[in-house]
């Protein structure tokens, strides 16, 4: 950390900074310039939540942190990309092949989810998605089938062999969700549900952590850090679009630049969700391809046998034939970009 003093700072004010730094466990080195003094603090910054303990001292102009606030998730702690095993033979991260997760927004019927799982697999998806517990803002809308939805997902897995990713909405459901799913999804709305993140640190399964709709990249990585701090290092990040001022044409603004930014800052795998990112079927294709071209480790795409009659997110869901065509295009783009991104660490150095 660096403490920049005001040009007219008094000796005793500089000394106060040094004393406070020592109290906080830092070594302080004073650098006197012609105009201003800068105090360099050597030590582990991640123990401090903010910089206010130093900023409040009179004579201090500003305090700058040097270390990123997350440590376990940081590439400075672990340089090599994390590779996470989702299920036997399905790995995500680093130089592992792109993992496409596809399925309906919500699990609706037995026939629907089985049919969707078969179609997803036939087109090359490696993971089946489907919500059993749905976060819905408006009451009196479909909130998912709950436990029945989990059972149907399990059935679809038995039928096709595809591992399952599904959202956990309430930490009281953790055992049930763990029993039936291979990846636990934390939705955008729960990215800052800190007690849930703490608990997910104690489970042995991978967690798919969606970016909160107004979360900065640091906040998102700190949410990942929280899960890791509590014992679970299997965190997969998912960019799903952030809120912006222009919501006329797309539901969210898909932050494709989050891919190289996160890969520079962190060793964790990152996937793109072009469905929630755009909210419109017509735009899913371009954003899915953009995600692959930018070096994402995977994609999450909503598909449905009959999007017009879907109980949630029909307007952003692809029909099976559209998904099949898209998968071919994804593979074409991936064939070109894979060699460029075989090590995310090197690609974004
Ligand atoms: C979902 O994946 O269906 C979902 C609700 O996503 P998000 O949390 O990104 O809105
Ligand atoms: Mn959805």
């Amino acid at each position: 950390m660096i403490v920049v003093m005001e040009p007219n700072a008094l000796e005793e004010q500089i000394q106060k900074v040094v004393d406070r730094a020592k109290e906080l466990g830092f070594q302080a080195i004073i650098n006197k310039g012609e105009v201003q003094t800068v105090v360099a603090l050597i030590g582990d910054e991640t123990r401090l939540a903010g910089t206010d303990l130093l900023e409040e001292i009179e004579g201090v102009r500003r305090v700058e942190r040097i270390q990123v606030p997350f440590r376990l998730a940081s590439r400075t702690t672990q340089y090599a990309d994390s590779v996470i095993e989702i299920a036997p033979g399905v790995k995500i991260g680093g130089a592992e092949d792109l993992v496409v997760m596809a399925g309906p927004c919500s699990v609706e019927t037995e026939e629907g989810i089985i049919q969707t799982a078969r179609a997803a697999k036939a087109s090359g998806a490696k993971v089946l998605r489907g919500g059993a517990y749905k976060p819905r803002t408006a009451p009196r809308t479909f909130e998912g089938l709950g436990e029945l939805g989990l059972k149907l997902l399990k059935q679809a897995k038995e039928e096709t062999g595809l591992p399952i990713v599904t959202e956990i909405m309430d930490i009281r459901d953790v055992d049930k969700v763990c029993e039936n799913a291979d990846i636990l999804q934390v939705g955008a709305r729960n990215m800052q549900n800190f007690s849930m993140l703490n608990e997910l640190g104690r489970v042995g399964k991978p967690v798919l952590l969606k970016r909160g709709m107004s979360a900065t990249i640091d906040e998102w990585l700190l949410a990942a850090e929280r899960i890791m701090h509590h014992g679970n290092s299997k965190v997969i990040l998912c960019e799903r679009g952030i809120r912006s001022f222009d919501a006329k044409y797309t539901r969210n603004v898909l932050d494709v630049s989050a891919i190289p930014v996160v890969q520079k800052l962190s060793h964790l795998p990152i996937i793109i969700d072009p469905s929630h990112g755009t909210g419109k079927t017509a735009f899913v294709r371009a954003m899915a391809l953009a995600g692959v071209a930018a070096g994402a480790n995977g994609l999450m795409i909503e598909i449905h046998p009959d999007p017009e009659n879907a109980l949630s997110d029909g307007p952003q869901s692809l029909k099976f034939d559209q998904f099949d065509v898209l998968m071919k295009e994804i593979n074409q783009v991936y064939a070109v970009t894979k060699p460029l991104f075989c090590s995310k660490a090197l690609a974004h150095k």
Side-chain angles (χ1 to χ4, degrees):
M1 204 141 38
I2 285 173
V3 182
V4 181
M5 304 301 297
E6 295 287 1
N8 58 354
L10 305 172
E11 273 311 313
E12 62 209 59
Q13 292 171 334
I14 297 171
Q15 195 49 48
K16 223 172 176 181
V17 169
V18 171
D19 294 345
R20 175 63 59 80
K22 284 186 181 153
E23 270 167 35
L24 294 169
F26 293 93
Q27 190 196 337
I29 299 168
I30 302 171
N31 302 281
K32 277 198 193 306
E34 263 179 46
V35 183
Q36 270 164 296
T37 295
V38 170
V39 187
L41 270 53
I42 316 290
D44 181 11
E45 283 175 22
T46 59
R47 284 183 292 107
L48 287 192
T51 54
D52 48 343
L53 289 171
L54 293 152
E55 255 159 34
E56 72 195 16
I57 298 173
E58 239 178 289
V60 171
R61 171 165 281 196
R62 64 172 204 277
V63 183
E64 273 176 35
R65 297 180 76 113
I66 298 169
Q67 278 177 287
V68 283
F70 35 90
R71 193 171 3 162
L72 301 169
S74 166
R75 212 182 268 286
T76 50
T77 306
Q78 180 188 315
Y79 185 66
D81 299 315
S82 274
V83 174
I84 296 170
E85 180 156 43
I86 294 167
V90 187
K91 290 182 182 168
I92 188 163
E96 294 296 326
D97 274 342
L98 189 81
V99 173
V100 178
M101 309 181 185
C105 180
S106 309
V107 180
E108 298 172 1
T109 62
E110 178 181 335
E111 196 199 347
I113 193 67
I114 303 280
Q115 214 187 335
T116 308
R118 288 204 181 110
K121 185 175 179 173
S123 297
K126 291 281 181 290
V127 177
L128 176 68
R129 67 146 284 146
Y133 300 96
K134 296 304 303 176
R136 303 304 297 274
T137 306
R140 297 180 296 277
T141 49
F142 181 61
E143 293 184 26
L145 297 179
E147 263 187 87
L148 174 61
L150 294 178
K151 290 218 170 67
L152 296 180
L153 284 168
K154 196 169 189 180
Q155 218 176 305
K157 177 180 174 176
E158 281 160 7
E159 200 76 28
T160 58
L162 288 181
I164 303 296
V165 56
T166 195
E167 179 161 351
I168 177 151
M169 284 248 298
D170 187 324
I171 200 61
R172 286 170 295 188
D173 297 325
V174 68
D175 291 337
K176 275 185 282 184
V177 178
C178 274
E179 238 172 75
N180 295 284
D182 300 275
I183 307 173
L184 282 70
Q185 177 174 326
V186 175
R189 292 156 192 81
N190 269 316
M191 191 210 84
Q192 284 170 308
N193 182 340
F194 301 123
S195 55
M196 178 183 282
L197 301 178
N198 292 349
E199 285 301 317
L200 291 177
R202 297 184 236 284
V203 307
K205 300 230 163 156
V207 173
L208 181 81
L209 180 65
K210 288 197 154 195
R211 180 177 181 181
M213 54 187 86
S214 323
T216 63
I217 286 182
D218 277 357
E219 286 164 342
W220 185 21
L221 289 174
L222 279 169
E225 180 81 6
R226 180 169 284 281
I227 299 171
M228 297 173 85
H229 174 76
H230 285 276
N232 186 355
S233 57
K234 293 183 235 167
V235 181
I236 304 162
L237 300 162
C238 177
E239 162 61 43
R240 48 76 72 201
I242 45 177
R243 278 269 167 91
S244 180
F245 56 88
D246 190 352
K248 187 171 169 190
Y249 299 106
T250 56
R251 182 175 177 181
N252 292 297
V253 172
L254 186 71
D255 183 6
V256 180
S257 65
I259 302 168
V261 172
V262 162
Q263 286 170 348
K264 188 179 171 74
L265 295 172
S266 175
H267 51 84
L268 296 173
I270 174 169
I271 73 166
I272 282 287
D273 172 351
S275 308
H276 295 87
T278 62
K280 303 264 168 46
T281 302
F283 304 140
V284 168
R285 171 180 182 258
M287 288 300 99
L289 298 177
V292 177
N297 299 103
L299 297 168
M300 173 176 260
I301 299 175
E302 287 187 341
I303 62 173
H304 194 280
D306 179 16
E308 277 168 31
N309 291 302
L311 297 179
S312 61
D313 285 350
Q316 65 191 34
S317 299
L318 302 189
K319 292 183 184 153
F320 300 159
D321 56 347
Q322 291 172 315
F323 178 62
D324 194 59
V325 172
L326 177 57
M327 281 300 284
K328 292 191 170 76
E329 294 172 328
I330 285 170
N331 289 331
Q332 279 178 295
V333 173
Y334 187 56
V336 176
T337 57
K338 182 182 172 170
L340 307 177
F341 293 108
C342 58
S343 164
K344 311 296 180 201
L346 288 176
H348 297 290
K349 224 177 162 182

